[in-house]
Amino acid sequence: MTAMHHTEDEAPVSAGSWASGLEAWARGRWSERMIPADRTMAFAPQGTERPRAFRDVPVVILVMTRATERLHRALFRSVELLRESTYGFRAVLFTDDAGVFADADVDWVLEHTVSEADWAQISSEDWLSSAAAHLGWAQLQYGASLVLAPETPDQVRAAVARLGAAFHAAEKVRRTAATILEDELQGLDDTQDLSSRRTTSARGWWGRLGTGRSTVRIAQSEGARMKLVIARADRSAGLLIGPGGTAVDAFLAEGRAAGFSTVSFDVEVGTDSAVVQSGLETAIRAAVETLGATGPALFVAAATSNPDRAADRGLDGVIRLGGESEPHELTMSYGSAVEFEAGSVGDVLRRLVRVHRGA
């Protein structure tokens, strides 16, 4: 088994983390360094007259998931130029998108892993743990000497430069690859605005959210789409999360005034209840891990909803809002319950923070 390496500025990422994606896990696992390989899998480019000649040629795995789709064309064009000009390596694409080759004129082997959206339909376990295990298996089975997993334009530039140097591409070829990159990456930057964006997963981007309000739309399977409105507090006292709506939104506003971060969600497109439910559960898990670590994490539900399952997603409790003349009810995950009036929301939340911190 290859030893774990990581750079000083990018520590290994837990395969159970929602804060980072598969690309960050791979960079922490192998640090894009050359990996000793005792053997490689026997495969060759299509149509070659001497396939046996390729059996000892090094293998490079490129991780290109749906989360980095905007970078794929740049990688395909520049890496294939280096491969064809040097014949110094064989390329394996590790992806969660079976249609990724549709517009790519490359001669690479495809290793397909189930996408996170599809995984949520068949398992309640964390997708990253499964995908990371699959990628680790692929590195060993193919005998890959290098695993590249860029997820920003600068990381793409560094990965392509790394390939060119490692396999001794001619200087003219390296310059051409760099020119291709700049053409394809034009208009993209490492600080892509996250205040209003689309993504295919609730994973990986939370750490790049600044304080204040952001809107993120998550595309799920079966054409479903969920909108998250996230308000990240500076030195957050805790987390409140709930479905968008007048009553819940008003409560979340009071929570923000008490120093809480908040997340409200709405299903914009989608009628499949299983898809919608799995999307909700993943969003809750991700929000709790990334925003709820500093204080109590609570699900806020309207009076007519049934939030019982939400408390099983790492939350500390559930607040069920009362009707017009009824009190709100807070039920903690350990069973304690208390009722409180609408006028005392701030006081109750601040008291809960003190209890949570042991003050």
Side-chain angles (χ1 to χ4, degrees):
M1 194 73 162
T2 305
M4 177 180 286
H5 300 286
H6 62 90
T7 58
E8 292 183 1
D9 60 345
E10 186 160 21
V13 174
S14 165
S17 172
W18 285 92
S20 297
L22 183 62
E23 288 79 6
W25 180 88
R27 292 195 307 276
R29 175 70 176 82
W30 292 289
S31 298
E32 301 189 339
R33 298 176 182 175
M34 298 302 290
I35 307 165
D38 296 331
R39 62 175 179 81
T40 63
M41 186 179 289
F43 67 92
Q46 292 182 0
T48 184
E49 296 180 0
R50 297 180 179 179
R52 285 182 175 271
F54 286 89
R55 290 190 177 179
D56 294 325
V57 174
V59 175
V60 174
I61 292 179
L62 292 107
V63 181
M64 296 164 60
T65 66
R66 300 181 191 196
T68 60
E69 183 178 2
R70 66 191 184 118
L71 306 174
H72 289 181
R73 182 174 169 82
L75 279 164
F76 278 135
R77 291 190 60 201
S78 56
V79 172
E80 183 65 357
L81 172 65
L82 294 176
R83 190 194 68 78
E84 284 192 324
S85 66
T86 64
Y87 277 103
F89 64 93
R90 293 170 289 168
V92 174
L93 172 62
F94 189 94
T95 183
D96 61 354
D97 183 359
V100 71
F101 279 147
D103 299 317
D105 185 17
V106 299
D107 191 2
W108 301 2
V109 168
L110 174 67
E111 184 68 30
H112 180 253
T113 195
V114 177
S115 72
E116 185 164 12
D118 291 335
W119 176 260
Q121 304 306 304
I122 60 176
S123 175
S124 60
E125 300 299 319
D126 186 14
W127 171 83
L128 183 57
S129 296
S130 171
H134 187 173
L135 179 55
W137 172 90
Q139 186 275 321
L140 292 173
Q141 291 299 309
Y142 286 100
S145 299
L146 195 59
V147 179
L148 299 176
E151 57 182 331
T152 69
D154 275 353
Q155 288 171 2
V156 170
R157 295 181 182 100
V160 172
R162 178 80 177 87
L163 268 182
F167 298 104
H168 310 293
E171 185 61 33
K172 182 178 180 180
V173 173
R174 295 193 211 182
R175 288 199 302 268
T176 302
T179 299
I180 289 173
L181 279 184
E182 295 313 311
D183 288 345
E184 294 294 343
L185 296 176
Q186 189 174 7
L188 302 178
D189 59 61
D190 287 357
T191 58
Q192 185 186 32
D193 182 22
L194 281 170
S195 62
S196 183
R197 62 163 287 181
R198 293 179 185 271
T199 182
T200 58
S201 172
R203 182 187 306 285
W205 42 264
W206 295 84
R208 302 200 301 277
L209 289 173
T211 57
R213 182 187 177 97
S214 302
T215 300
V216 178
R217 287 177 167 82
I218 300 174
Q220 301 171 260
S221 61
E222 309 299 329
R225 187 173 70 240
M226 177 181 295
K227 181 178 76 171
L228 303 180
V229 179
I230 305 159
R232 185 171 191 167
D234 185 23
R235 299 181 181 179
S236 178
L239 172 69
L240 300 175
I241 181 169
T246 302
V248 172
D249 288 344
F251 191 95
L252 297 186
E254 294 196 64
R256 289 191 292 273
F260 277 65
S261 296
T262 64
V263 178
S264 68
F265 57 86
D266 287 292
V267 178
E268 293 188 319
V269 180
T271 57
D272 188 317
S273 60
V275 171
V276 170
Q277 183 63 33
S278 68
L280 167 59
E281 291 176 2
T282 56
I284 290 175
R285 291 192 192 103
V288 169
E289 180 194 311
T290 55
L291 300 180
T294 58
L298 306 168
F299 189 88
V300 181
T304 56
S305 66
N306 182 7
D308 293 342
R309 293 191 64 192
D312 299 328
R313 308 308 174 195
L315 292 154
D316 295 303
V318 173
I319 296 175
R320 186 192 294 275
L321 302 184
E324 204 168 302
S325 59
E326 297 176 332
H328 305 320
E329 182 181 58
L330 167 63
T331 303
M332 301 303 293
S333 57
Y334 49 80
S336 177
V338 63
E339 292 185 346
F340 60 98
E341 300 298 328
S344 61
V345 170
D347 291 338
V348 170
L349 291 177
R350 282 186 284 270
R351 191 181 314 134
L352 189 59
V353 170
R354 291 195 295 271
V355 171
H356 189 273
R357 295 176 177 174

